[in-house]
Amino acid sequence: MKTTRRNFLKLSAVAAASLPATSLMASTKTANKPIVISTWNFGMQANEEAWKILIANGRALDAVEAGARVPESDPKETSVGLGGLPDRDGHVTLDACIMDENGNIGSVAGLEHIVHPVSVARKVMEKTPHVMLVGEGALQFALANGFKKEKLLTKESEQAWKNWLKEGKYKPIANIENHDTIGILALDTKGNLSGACTTSGMAYKMHGRVGDSPIIGAGLYVDNEVGAATSTGVGEEVIRIVGCHLVVELMRQGNLPEQACKLAVERIIQKNPAKAKEVQVGFLALNKSGEYGAFCLQKGFSYAVHSDSINQLFDSSSIY
Ligand code: SD4
């Protein structure tokens, strides 16, 4: 069934009526468009940049790119862009993707030496017949398009890696320093949705490992008829269920954003119950009406919301 705005709202109402009161309260956070939402505490600063574009009647696509670039260029953020923690061989390898209201997509994975992988992903989307470039090819493309080659490993992240090497045990850390991948979703004044996602991936991963963040459908998905979703946490578990596509499809079926995120988290538990107890995964979603919500496995996932009526950080509800 094609989801028109009218029957989408009707479906939302039906779904809302069948939810327990607690979920309903948490799931009906609404703000008028424009609105931007993004993952973790650093989402507050990212949203500020995105908001400047949205409030000037700019395009959601430009807003999410501008927002994602904020933690990318902050050397103190150790999970995104410059200053991101390296893989176990000491390489900072970055993953990012972007998706617009027309279903255009661009993505890079395992990109080294470039501070703004989200902007390279956008160039892949706009300037190539492909959707994803990886590793050396992504770097060549970035350099050919005017991006500068830079050293992304800071003194601090190099020291952290050297300390890690003493034991060399790989274990994903949930909610690392309360920031992680940034996923950012926006609805502009024209009612169009876009999203972006950018990360240095799991710290001390194997060289060549790619997570969910640059994979359209896993770390990000946008359907301009329905809504958009993004994820953070252990990418392997998100890829297994094609998480963000699932969240958007659950919204299409009438679930409000938080409920759709919760159902996707429950799918992760169903597929891999033992693992789900140990790791963090969080989903964040925004629908076409400006309703938003999140859900995660472990306590500690926060998300930031900016509209004309709110500029605030929320704690996501969690299973455990
Ligand atoms: C990944 N989801 O590479 C990303 C990064 C992340 O905790 O969120 N790490 O799996």
Side-chain angles (χ1 to χ4, degrees):
M1 180 181 70
K2 186 167 155 53
T3 311
T4 60
R5 184 177 153 78
R6 204 158 152 211
N7 67 26
F8 173 74
L9 292 175
K10 207 163 87 194
L11 283 170
S12 298
V14 171
S18 64
L19 290 175
T22 48
S23 309
L24 180 63
M25 271 168 55
S27 301
T28 47
K29 292 178 190 139
T30 311
N32 290 329
K33 60 183 193 234
I35 176 170
V36 55
I37 66 175
S38 58
T39 55
W40 301 106
N41 296 7
F42 56 24
M44 292 294 288
Q45 289 91 52
N47 286 358
E48 289 294 341
E49 281 308 301
W51 183 250
K52 288 180 195 161
I53 292 170
L54 293 173
I55 200 65
N57 293 322
R59 195 175 165 202
L61 182 71
D62 294 325
V64 294
E65 182 189 4
R69 287 171 61 97
V70 174
E72 280 185 341
S73 55
D74 185 343
K76 289 196 283 313
E77 299 298 356
T78 56
S79 54
V80 177
L82 179 66
L85 288 169
D87 64 22
R88 65 185 191 182
D89 300 331
H91 302 275
V92 181
T93 63
L94 306 177
D95 298 338
C97 71
I98 194 158
M99 184 162 189
D100 76 4
E101 72 277 14
N102 299 312
N104 294 313
I105 50 180
S107 161
V108 290
L111 175 62
E112 292 186 58
H113 309 301
I114 302 291
V115 174
H116 290 300
V118 72
S119 297
V120 184
R122 182 165 177 178
K123 282 272 188 297
V124 172
M125 175 173 95
E126 292 176 342
K127 290 201 153 184
T128 79
H130 306 305
V131 299
M132 189 168 196
L133 294 178
V134 305
E136 194 53 37
L139 177 60
Q140 276 171 21
F141 172 77
L143 297 176
N145 279 278
F147 291 86
K148 268 206 293 201
K149 190 167 180 175
E150 290 180 50
K151 186 174 179 211
L152 302 183
L153 193 66
T154 56
K155 254 195 206 144
E156 291 75 15
S157 50
E158 187 170 8
Q159 192 52 54
W161 168 61
K162 285 186 175 153
N163 291 342
W164 175 83
L165 278 178
K166 288 179 195 153
E167 279 210 16
K169 262 199 219 138
Y170 177 72
K171 194 168 192 302
I173 307 159
N175 308 328
I176 181 166
E177 293 169 31
N178 211 355
H179 54 70
D180 212 304
T181 297
I182 184 153
I184 178 163
L185 310 171
L187 177 67
D188 63 27
T189 47
K190 292 201 177 79
N192 286 324
L193 288 158
S194 289
C197 187
T198 179
T199 188
S200 51
M202 304 304 298
Y204 319 128
K205 60 194 175 185
M206 289 176 71
H207 186 56
R209 178 267 188 189
V210 173
D212 57 327
S213 304
I215 300 180
I216 296 290
L220 177 74
Y221 200 70
V222 176
D223 184 320
N224 206 41
E225 279 191 352
V226 177
T230 189
S231 60
T232 180
V234 177
E236 283 75 3
E237 302 313 306
V238 178
I239 295 171
R240 201 183 309 287
I241 64 156
V242 198
C244 288
H245 185 260
L246 176 62
V247 171
V248 171
E249 289 307 300
L250 287 164
M251 290 195 285
R252 191 193 304 279
Q253 289 165 20
N255 293 287
L256 290 164
E258 182 175 314
Q259 183 67 4
C261 292
K262 181 171 187 232
L263 289 168
V265 168
E266 286 169 354
R267 184 76 62 87
I268 286 179
I269 299 171
Q270 190 189 330
K271 291 287 173 201
N272 206 345
K275 192 73 185 248
K277 288 205 178 93
E278 292 172 8
V279 299
Q280 176 65 303
V281 169
F283 291 106
L284 177 66
L286 173 66
N287 71 18
K288 190 76 177 163
S289 313
E291 293 163 311
Y292 55 90
F295 215 90
C296 60
L297 275 170
Q298 322 289 340
K299 272 198 187 59
F301 169 43
S302 54
Y303 64 98
V305 178
H306 199 325
S307 71
D308 59 0
S309 57
I310 197 166
N311 184 7
Q312 200 180 325
L313 195 67
F314 289 97
D315 285 325
S316 163
S317 305
S318 63
I319 298 276
Y320 300 118

